[in-house]
Amino acid sequence: MRALFIGGTGTISSAITRQLLKQGVELYLLNRGSRNELLPKDAHILQADINDEYYVALLIESLNFDVVVDFIGFEPAHVERDYRLFRGKTKQFIFISSASAYQKPLSDYRITEGTPLSNPYWQYSRDKIACEEYLMNQYRDHGFPVTIVRPSHTYDERSIPLGVHGSNGSWQVAKRMLENKPVIVHGDGTSLWTMTHNSDFAKGFIGLLGNIHAIGETVHITSDETVTWNQIYEIIADALGVKLNAVHVPSVFLAACSKQDLRGSLLGDKANSVVFDNSKLKRLVPGFAATTRLDQGIKHTVEYILTHPEYQREDPEFDQWCDEVISTMQQGFAKLNS
């Protein structure tokens, strides 16, 4: 198999890249080269900016692929460009969409690929929906061999998966836990959530490559394990060897007072209960099973980050914001109870 990945070094794609190379797949990575230390040695590197369409067309002029995957397409213009570049040059085109595109609020907490797509809270999700619609139109009208994949919250060893964190990632929350400082948990912490280790995601994804039954289909890839946010934060604290000091803050309050887009990532995603039905994936990829239990995956992630200082990026601004939010909540409670 000859495959081309647009991207290839992110949380989702890196695990897929490693597993494919072990299987001897002829893998090309179209990458700007800004993260050369993460590029695998056994892959063929096509160094280019995918947005430089003319140059990319020259690079791939003599190449044809069994599968092309775009991990970094976010807007309709991106997939329109992909269609121009790869029509007639691949037997399968896979677009990485997002499970955040599913209906918010949900009419049924059990999510299948048939759940309506609608997210009034997050432009990111609406753009992914528009990308899907464009590509499926090309499939229906012109036979473009597209497969849509919708990941949910996927994590690896480089970042602790959380509900609320700053622009520098999750380390500052872990640091607050280690310092016994209070940590914000959105809502009352009882909403249901699904997290998937990237090695498990890769197993399901690789089963879709070259799969004739996946052409023209949309499929999400997640773990079958469902946990509450209270459980998630307890698991992280336990992995750090500390006692959790949680402060529950309404998601609408957090979204209203944050400089970040928590309206999208919380109200349009993590504040909602989600339980995924993976029956379709298991029909397409017989034998698929996510085997990394969340507490095991989090433990490995925490151990990795604690021994790799380069992933311990502090975020003083977020730290101060947490203190201010918690103080405001406590003052409000004190005033109401006085």
Side-chain angles (χ1 to χ4, degrees):
M1 176 183 288
R2 175 185 285 176
L4 171 67
F5 286 2
I6 305 169
T9 59
T11 297
I12 290 175
S13 56
S14 59
I16 301 168
T17 296
R18 287 194 296 267
Q19 291 191 29
L20 285 179
L21 289 172
K22 287 181 180 178
Q23 295 176 15
V25 168
E26 184 182 357
L27 181 62
Y28 289 76
L29 300 183
L30 181 59
N31 196 287
R32 289 179 300 175
S34 57
R35 304 170 73 185
N36 285 330
E37 74 282 0
L38 300 176
L39 293 173
K41 296 178 181 179
D42 296 333
H44 302 278
I45 308 301
L46 301 177
Q47 188 164 340
D49 184 340
I50 184 61
N51 294 306
D52 188 345
E53 187 175 340
Y54 177 75
Y55 181 62
V56 171
L58 290 177
L59 277 180
I60 64 171
E61 187 175 14
S62 62
L63 294 170
N64 286 285
F65 302 96
D66 296 297
V67 59
V68 172
V69 186
D70 190 349
F71 290 97
I72 55 174
F74 300 103
E75 302 170 4
H78 297 162
V79 292
E80 291 168 10
R81 172 209 62 211
D82 290 346
Y83 177 69
R84 291 191 297 268
L85 284 169
F86 299 110
R87 59 184 172 182
K89 294 190 75 64
T90 184
K91 298 175 183 176
Q92 183 183 29
F93 179 86
I94 300 181
F95 173 66
I96 305 299
S97 185
S98 170
S100 68
Y102 287 121
Q103 182 185 56
K104 303 293 184 302
L106 287 164
S107 57
D108 189 323
Y109 75 96
R110 294 163 298 187
I111 298 175
T112 71
E113 287 80 359
T115 297
L117 304 182
S118 174
N119 193 328
Y121 301 100
W122 207 358
Q123 186 62 46
Y124 165 82
S125 304
R126 294 194 293 274
D127 286 340
K128 288 288 192 179
I129 294 170
C131 289
E132 289 193 26
E133 290 175 346
Y134 173 82
L135 288 169
M136 292 307 290
N137 282 336
Q138 302 316 307
Y139 167 70
R140 286 188 289 265
D141 296 344
H142 305 291
F144 189 55
V146 65
T147 300
I148 306 292
V149 172
R150 297 178 186 140
S152 188
H153 199 158
T154 308
Y155 70 102
D156 66 2
E157 72 278 4
R158 295 173 290 181
S159 181
I160 302 169
L162 290 164
V164 179
H165 59 75
S167 57
N168 281 353
S170 59
W171 170 249
Q172 194 65 45
V173 176
K175 188 170 185 290
R176 289 181 69 89
M177 289 185 182
L178 291 168
E179 294 172 349
N180 197 34
K181 297 177 72 172
V183 171
I184 293 172
V185 178
H186 63 274
D188 64 2
T190 61
S191 59
L192 302 174
W193 195 245
T194 299
M195 290 186 178
T196 308
H197 196 272
N198 68 344
S199 61
D200 284 329
F201 182 94
K203 289 186 290 186
F205 186 86
I206 290 172
L208 297 174
L209 300 183
N211 188 332
I212 60 172
H213 303 294
I215 303 299
E217 295 288 350
T218 300
V219 60
H220 51 236
I221 303 174
T222 76
S223 169
D224 289 321
E225 181 183 19
T226 302
V227 289
T228 68
W229 282 102
N230 285 332
Q231 290 174 318
I232 292 167
Y233 278 79
E234 288 285 0
I235 286 170
I236 295 168
D238 184 63
L240 290 166
V242 299
K243 182 176 176 58
L244 178 65
N245 182 5
V247 175
H248 294 91
V249 182
S251 297
V252 290
F253 182 82
L254 290 171
C257 65
S258 174
K259 295 178 181 178
Q260 298 183 78
D261 183 21
L262 290 184
R263 173 178 164 81
S265 63
L266 275 185
L267 304 186
D269 198 23
K270 298 180 180 67
N272 299 270
S273 284
V274 294
V275 178
F276 292 94
D277 181 341
N278 287 300
S279 299
K280 185 174 184 179
L281 173 65
K282 292 173 183 177
R283 288 197 302 272
L284 292 169
V285 187
F288 168 77
T291 56
T292 305
R293 206 173 63 205
L294 183 62
D295 60 319
Q296 298 168 337
I298 293 291
K299 182 178 180 181
H300 175 70
T301 296
V302 167
E303 289 173 349
Y304 187 88
I305 291 175
L306 290 177
T307 55
H308 289 76
E310 64 270 27
Y311 295 111
Q312 299 174 18
R313 298 176 61 202
E314 297 195 16
D315 194 338
E317 183 177 354
F318 173 75
D319 197 49
Q320 182 180 350
W321 177 80
C322 289
D323 290 337
E324 290 173 352
V325 168
I326 292 167
S327 175
T328 300
M329 291 284 294
Q330 292 172 339
Q331 289 174 24
F333 292 148
K335 185 176 181 179
L336 288 172
N337 291 324
S338 61

